Amino acid sequence: MDTLSASSTPTAPSPSFAPLVPGMVGMVLVGSSVGISHALVDAPLFTAQAVRYAAATAILLLLARLAGARPVRPRGREWLWLTGLAVTGLVLFNVAVVRGVAHAEPAVIAVAVASVPVVLGVLGPLLERRTPSRQVLLAAPVVVAGAVLVEGTGRTDAAGVAWAALALGCEAAFTLLAVPVLGRHTPWGVSVHASWLGAVLFAVLGVTYEGPTAAREVTGVQWAAVGYLALLVTAVAFVLWYSTVRTVGAGRAGLLTGLAPLAAAAAGTATGTGVPGTWVWLGIAVVIGGLVGGLRARRTPAVDAASANAPSVQAPRADAPPTDAPSADAPPTDAPSAGASSVGAPPADAPSTAPTRR
């Protein structure tokens, strides 16, 4: 059985704002790539994704070397976590999205994925061996509601609902399955292993279902889109996202997924493909409100831990006899015995009962 090393032991999430910035940038990159991803609608899905993740692996290895990071080889059950992450968060997620839009409007899939904060808010802290934050649990439905207003609802059938539910589960698994291995592998290692595993899985599917020559069908514009996705949405965004998850915890980081539809709406406005309407602007305001409520650091009073945990000392009652006065019926004693100590003063070699500051 594998045991957690000291470096993989979960640490308390940081309440500051700075560790949230990498995750925010990562989600903005993911959301703003919607228009780029649209260029791959007619491309062979599995083959294009295989090239994307293979290129991302090479980029990650280069960037990790420049950053001084050194990915380590998985061992034991870590293979299960990382393979499960690649299967669900990369392969099945893409399949669910592609197949889902055949039965439902894209907004249905987008709303399902936007519900991730609720799932991460509950399951993330449990995997990290912590109690879910009440602040995050209250903010998560607000972020989801805002995302629904941004994306809309759309029409679907029963199959579309099933694919949307699968997309939600896979999107959550992309974060949750990384939690147990982030300590030892760091965001760099998790990103590298997830990418090369995804490349292998997509390559097998591509050769099986699209043929070994499917890459010839990819156009120049589509290759450019693959390169963009490999560099920014995979290599860069993966490391940024996992850095925030490792620092602030999966539950708190999950709220940041609400930024993706906002970035998608902003990208649509910038490229002239669509101007947000009233409901979209309202949704953006709701998402921002949920993020502010769920991500702001809670103020805790500066109370000394030792004094807070130490037992209180009660003052003697006014009518109580003094403790150092002998009882009238007690025989007089000239001096305490060698093993006795005076009341209120423990012997010098007695252990301290005050809690130790860690």
Side-chain angles (χ1 to χ4, degrees), residues 318-350:
D319 58 347
T323 58
D324 56 351
S327 172
D329 298 332
T333 56
D334 295 334
S337 61
S341 60
S342 60
V343 177
D349 58 349

Short mmCIF file of all heavy atoms in Angstrom, two decimals, residues 318-350:
data_model
loop_
_atom_site.label_atom_id
_atom_site.label_comp_id
_atom_site.label_asym_id
_atom_site.label_seq_id
_atom_site.Cartn_x
_atom_site.Cartn_y
_atom_site.Cartn_z
N ALA A 318 -15.67 34.47 47.76
CA ALA A 318 -15.36 35.39 48.86
C ALA A 318 -15.49 34.72 50.21
O ALA A 318 -14.78 35.03 51.17
CB ALA A 318 -16.27 36.63 48.78
N ASP A 319 -16.46 33.77 50.32
CA ASP A 319 -16.70 33.12 51.61
C ASP A 319 -15.90 31.85 51.79
O ASP A 319 -16.05 31.13 52.78
CB ASP A 319 -18.18 32.81 51.79
CG ASP A 319 -18.69 31.92 50.67
OD1 ASP A 319 -17.95 31.76 49.66
OD2 ASP A 319 -19.81 31.39 50.80
N ALA A 320 -15.03 31.53 50.81
CA ALA A 320 -14.24 30.30 50.92
C ALA A 320 -13.07 30.54 51.86
O ALA A 320 -12.47 31.61 51.84
CB ALA A 320 -13.73 29.87 49.56
N PRO A 321 -12.72 29.54 52.70
CA PRO A 321 -11.57 29.70 53.59
C PRO A 321 -10.29 29.74 52.80
O PRO A 321 -10.19 29.13 51.75
CB PRO A 321 -11.64 28.46 54.48
CG PRO A 321 -12.37 27.46 53.64
CD PRO A 321 -13.35 28.23 52.84
N PRO A 322 -9.33 30.50 53.26
CA PRO A 322 -8.04 30.54 52.54
C PRO A 322 -7.42 29.17 52.49
O PRO A 322 -7.47 28.41 53.45
CB PRO A 322 -7.21 31.53 53.37
CG PRO A 322 -7.87 31.60 54.72
CD PRO A 322 -9.32 31.34 54.49
N THR A 323 -6.81 28.89 51.32
CA THR A 323 -6.27 27.54 51.11
C THR A 323 -5.03 27.27 51.91
O THR A 323 -4.67 26.13 52.13
CB THR A 323 -5.95 27.35 49.63
OG1 THR A 323 -5.03 28.36 49.23
CG2 THR A 323 -7.20 27.42 48.77
N ASP A 324 -4.34 28.36 52.36
CA ASP A 324 -3.13 28.12 53.10
C ASP A 324 -3.34 28.10 54.61
O ASP A 324 -2.40 27.95 55.36
CB ASP A 324 -2.09 29.18 52.74
CG ASP A 324 -2.61 30.59 52.99
OD1 ASP A 324 -3.82 30.71 53.28
OD2 ASP A 324 -1.80 31.54 52.90
N ALA A 325 -4.60 28.29 55.02
CA ALA A 325 -4.89 28.25 56.46
C ALA A 325 -5.23 26.84 56.85
O ALA A 325 -6.10 26.21 56.24
CB ALA A 325 -6.05 29.20 56.79
N PRO A 326 -4.60 26.28 57.88
CA PRO A 326 -4.91 24.91 58.30
C PRO A 326 -6.28 24.83 58.93
O PRO A 326 -6.79 25.77 59.52
CB PRO A 326 -3.80 24.60 59.30
CG PRO A 326 -3.38 25.93 59.84
CD PRO A 326 -3.54 26.89 58.71
N SER A 327 -6.92 23.71 58.76
CA SER A 327 -8.23 23.47 59.35
C SER A 327 -8.10 23.38 60.85
O SER A 327 -7.07 22.97 61.41
CB SER A 327 -8.82 22.17 58.78
OG SER A 327 -9.99 21.83 59.46
N ALA A 328 -9.17 23.74 61.52
CA ALA A 328 -9.15 23.71 62.99
C ALA A 328 -8.99 22.30 63.51
O ALA A 328 -8.42 22.07 64.57
CB ALA A 328 -10.42 24.34 63.53
N ASP A 329 -9.52 21.31 62.76
CA ASP A 329 -9.45 19.92 63.21
C ASP A 329 -8.21 19.23 62.74
O ASP A 329 -7.93 18.09 63.13
CB ASP A 329 -10.67 19.15 62.70
CG ASP A 329 -11.96 19.73 63.28
OD1 ASP A 329 -11.89 20.30 64.38
OD2 ASP A 329 -13.00 19.64 62.58
N ALA A 330 -7.44 19.85 61.84
CA ALA A 330 -6.28 19.19 61.28
C ALA A 330 -5.11 19.30 62.23
O ALA A 330 -4.93 20.34 62.88
CB ALA A 330 -5.90 19.80 59.94
N PRO A 331 -4.29 18.27 62.31
CA PRO A 331 -3.12 18.35 63.19
C PRO A 331 -2.11 19.31 62.60
O PRO A 331 -1.96 19.43 61.41
CB PRO A 331 -2.59 16.91 63.19
CG PRO A 331 -3.10 16.33 61.91
CD PRO A 331 -4.42 16.96 61.68
N PRO A 332 -1.45 20.03 63.48
CA PRO A 332 -0.45 20.99 62.98
C PRO A 332 0.72 20.28 62.34
O PRO A 332 1.11 19.22 62.76
CB PRO A 332 -0.03 21.76 64.24
CG PRO A 332 -0.30 20.82 65.38
CD PRO A 332 -1.50 20.03 64.97
N THR A 333 1.23 20.91 61.33
CA THR A 333 2.40 20.38 60.65
C THR A 333 3.44 21.47 60.56
O THR A 333 3.11 22.64 60.33
CB THR A 333 2.05 19.91 59.24
OG1 THR A 333 1.48 20.99 58.52
CG2 THR A 333 1.08 18.74 59.26
N ASP A 334 4.66 21.10 60.75
CA ASP A 334 5.72 22.11 60.72
C ASP A 334 6.14 22.46 59.31
O ASP A 334 6.44 23.59 58.99
CB ASP A 334 6.94 21.59 61.49
CG ASP A 334 6.61 21.43 62.98
OD1 ASP A 334 5.70 22.15 63.44
OD2 ASP A 334 7.25 20.58 63.62
N ALA A 335 6.16 21.46 58.39
CA ALA A 335 6.64 21.71 57.03
C ALA A 335 6.05 20.68 56.10
O ALA A 335 5.74 19.57 56.54
CB ALA A 335 8.16 21.67 56.97
N PRO A 336 5.86 21.01 54.85
CA PRO A 336 5.34 20.01 53.90
C PRO A 336 6.35 18.91 53.73
O PRO A 336 7.55 19.10 53.89
CB PRO A 336 5.16 20.81 52.60
CG PRO A 336 6.07 21.99 52.75
CD PRO A 336 6.12 22.31 54.21
N SER A 337 5.80 17.74 53.36
CA SER A 337 6.68 16.59 53.11
C SER A 337 7.51 16.82 51.87
O SER A 337 7.20 17.68 51.05
CB SER A 337 5.85 15.31 52.95
OG SER A 337 4.99 15.44 51.85
N ALA A 338 8.54 16.00 51.71
CA ALA A 338 9.45 16.20 50.60
C ALA A 338 8.79 16.03 49.27
O ALA A 338 9.16 16.64 48.29
CB ALA A 338 10.64 15.24 50.73
N GLY A 339 7.77 15.18 49.16
CA GLY A 339 7.12 14.92 47.86
C GLY A 339 5.97 15.83 47.58
O GLY A 339 5.35 15.76 46.53
N ALA A 340 5.58 16.69 48.54
CA ALA A 340 4.42 17.55 48.34
C ALA A 340 4.85 18.88 47.77
O ALA A 340 6.01 19.28 47.85
CB ALA A 340 3.69 17.75 49.68
N SER A 341 3.88 19.60 47.21
CA SER A 341 4.15 20.94 46.69
C SER A 341 3.09 21.87 47.18
O SER A 341 1.98 21.46 47.50
CB SER A 341 4.19 20.93 45.16
OG SER A 341 2.97 20.50 44.66
N SER A 342 3.36 23.13 47.20
CA SER A 342 2.38 24.12 47.64
C SER A 342 1.28 24.25 46.64
O SER A 342 1.47 24.08 45.45
CB SER A 342 3.08 25.48 47.85
OG SER A 342 3.66 25.90 46.64
N VAL A 343 0.07 24.63 47.10
CA VAL A 343 -1.09 24.74 46.24
C VAL A 343 -0.88 25.86 45.22
O VAL A 343 -0.47 26.97 45.60
CB VAL A 343 -2.35 25.02 47.08
CG1 VAL A 343 -3.56 25.21 46.19
CG2 VAL A 343 -2.57 23.87 48.05
N GLY A 344 -1.19 25.58 43.94
CA GLY A 344 -1.08 26.59 42.88
C GLY A 344 0.29 26.68 42.27
O GLY A 344 0.48 27.36 41.30
N ALA A 345 1.27 25.97 42.81
CA ALA A 345 2.62 26.00 42.23
C ALA A 345 3.07 24.58 41.99
O ALA A 345 3.41 23.87 42.93
CB ALA A 345 3.59 26.71 43.16
N PRO A 346 3.07 24.06 40.78
CA PRO A 346 3.46 22.69 40.50
C PRO A 346 4.93 22.51 40.73
O PRO A 346 5.72 23.46 40.68
CB PRO A 346 3.12 22.51 39.02
CG PRO A 346 3.16 23.89 38.47
CD PRO A 346 2.71 24.78 39.57
N PRO A 347 5.35 21.28 41.02
CA PRO A 347 6.77 21.03 41.21
C PRO A 347 7.55 21.35 39.95
O PRO A 347 7.02 21.34 38.85
CB PRO A 347 6.83 19.54 41.56
CG PRO A 347 5.53 18.98 41.17
CD PRO A 347 4.55 20.08 41.20
N ALA A 348 8.84 21.60 40.13
CA ALA A 348 9.66 22.04 39.00
C ALA A 348 9.76 21.01 37.92
O ALA A 348 9.91 21.35 36.75
CB ALA A 348 11.07 22.41 39.50
N ASP A 349 9.69 19.71 38.26
CA ASP A 349 9.82 18.68 37.25
C ASP A 349 8.52 18.18 36.71
O ASP A 349 8.46 17.18 36.00
CB ASP A 349 10.62 17.48 37.83
CG ASP A 349 9.92 16.94 39.08
OD1 ASP A 349 8.99 17.60 39.57
OD2 ASP A 349 10.34 15.84 39.55
N ALA A 350 7.41 18.83 37.05
CA ALA A 350 6.11 18.40 36.57
C ALA A 350 5.93 18.84 35.13
O ALA A 350 6.34 19.94 34.75
CB ALA A 350 4.98 18.99 37.43
#
